[in-house]
Amino acid sequence: TTPTAPVVTPLAPDTLVFRVSGDSYQGNPHFQVLVDGHQIGGTLTTSASHAAGQTQDITLTGQFGTGAHDIAVQFLDDVYGGSATADRNLYVHQVSLNGHTLAGDAADNHAGYNSGGVANMFNNGSADFHI
């Protein structure tokens, strides 16, 4: 008989969803996402107005491997003017990985503070999640 090659079924991609908003003084806030220390998705931005109660879901996919992961949201371009209308800030409302969801305030937030379910990022730096 002729040997046949095994059939390899590709793994379904992992899906990472961020619900974010921002204060957009002098431009929308930019951020990067790292999964286990590796950047995915390039430099991202949100135009959803936090002051107006808007949010935006940003979806990234990839093969992250099995088990829990360390997810970092890195805020890149803070601008401080003293008020929401003169600041550029980023707000992470929630993070979901393959349907497992954490509120934003579950982050170890090095760029601001956590309040009311949201990681409020007022300085350049990261909000780190373990999911």
Side-chain angles (χ1 to χ4, degrees):
T1 64
T2 304
T4 59
V7 176
V8 177
T9 304
L11 297 174
D14 294 300
T15 302
L16 187 57
V17 180
F18 292 88
R19 180 163 293 153
V20 294
S21 63
D23 298 324
S24 298
Y25 179 67
Q26 296 183 347
N28 294 328
H30 291 84
F31 61 100
Q32 295 174 336
V33 174
L34 287 81
V35 176
D36 299 327
H38 302 282
Q39 183 182 343
I40 61 169
T43 298
L44 306 166
T45 188
T46 180
S47 60
S49 169
H50 186 75
Q54 299 172 344
T55 59
Q56 179 180 4
D57 286 351
I58 296 177
T59 302
L60 303 170
T61 59
Q63 298 291 339
F64 308 139
T66 59
H69 297 281
D70 293 317
I71 311 293
V73 178
Q74 294 184 329
F75 181 33
L76 301 174
D77 57 355
D78 173 51
V79 174
Y80 176 72
S83 71
T85 58
D87 285 350
R88 185 181 310 138
N89 301 311
L90 178 66
Y91 303 86
V92 181
H93 298 261
Q94 74 179 36
V95 175
S96 297
L97 177 60
N98 298 329
H100 301 284
T101 301
L102 292 176
D105 61 2
D108 184 10
N109 187 354
H110 305 279
Y113 66 89
N114 297 336
S115 176
V118 180
N120 303 282
M121 302 177 76
F122 300 134
N123 299 293
N124 291 338
S126 69
D128 302 321
F129 299 84
H130 185 74
I131 187 169

